[in-house]
Amino acid sequence: MATFEGRFTDTAGLRIAVVVARFNDLVTAKLLSGCLDCLHRHGINTTAESSQLDVAWVPGSFELPLVAQQLARSGRYQVVITLGAVIRGDTPHFDVVVAEASKGIAAVARDTGVPVIFGVLTTDTMQQALERAGIKSNLGWSYGLEALEMGSLMAALQAA
């Protein structure tokens, strides 16, 4: 029996794209910071001159799937991370954006075979979003770890 697991090491050949929603950037900038910190501490070059990492900004979470798809299809990246924050308001807009972003991001991964990390916070309040983006813990770090694990796992599966 073969057992396949991703690892958080051997990141030298890994190329990662991060797509970040500008809407609610008070939250998404913190998620990006946590994500980049994680990637850096695990050996990914996160400098402006990096050939391992690219960051693309989009207007909001609804636009994340389209840009993630373009990046995944490019063949340049082993993993794409999407970062966004959708905070419930008084209208059904929240439900529409969350549904389309999540379905779209999942479809990109299935259609391209490139792991796409779903890093979109869906919260009832700004306070909840801020808690998940750094006040209590920064889920951006977790999304970075997921990307490293999935990139490693996909490489192991391809080599088998």
Side-chain angles (χ1 to χ4, degrees):
M1 173 181 81
T3 300
F4 299 97
E5 292 184 21
R7 299 168 21 145
F8 306 113
T9 57
D10 306 324
T11 60
L14 193 59
R15 283 195 44 95
I16 300 171
V18 184
V19 187
V20 188
R22 196 174 303 282
F23 196 82
N24 288 322
D25 65 342
L26 176 65
V27 176
T28 62
K30 292 178 185 312
L31 289 174
L32 177 61
S33 177
C35 182
L36 295 178
D37 184 36
C38 173
L39 296 175
H40 172 73
R41 290 175 189 250
H42 287 85
I44 299 291
N45 180 351
T46 60
T47 66
E49 298 79 27
S50 177
S51 62
Q52 284 189 281
L53 180 71
D54 292 319
V55 177
W57 287 86
V58 298
S61 292
F62 190 84
E63 292 78 23
L64 290 169
L66 179 62
V67 174
Q69 181 180 54
Q70 183 75 19
L71 294 167
R73 284 184 176 166
S74 73
R76 292 190 312 262
Y77 307 99
Q78 285 77 47
V79 182
V80 176
I81 302 169
T82 59
L83 301 176
V86 185
I87 301 167
R88 189 177 302 278
D90 295 330
T91 68
H93 187 255
F94 171 92
D95 299 311
V96 172
V97 173
V98 170
E100 292 307 312
S102 61
K103 285 189 285 188
I105 291 166
V108 170
R110 283 191 308 271
D111 294 346
T112 64
V114 174
V116 182
I117 306 305
F118 183 77
V120 180
L121 299 181
T122 55
T123 63
D124 289 324
T125 66
M126 176 62 82
Q127 180 66 29
Q128 290 173 340
L130 290 171
E131 287 172 359
R132 289 159 180 80
I135 291 177
K136 288 188 177 178
S137 65
N138 191 323
L139 289 177
W141 178 278
S142 299
Y143 304 140
L145 278 181
E146 289 174 26
L148 296 172
E149 183 175 2
M150 286 301 295
S152 171
L153 175 59
M154 295 302 284
L157 289 171
Q158 290 171 355

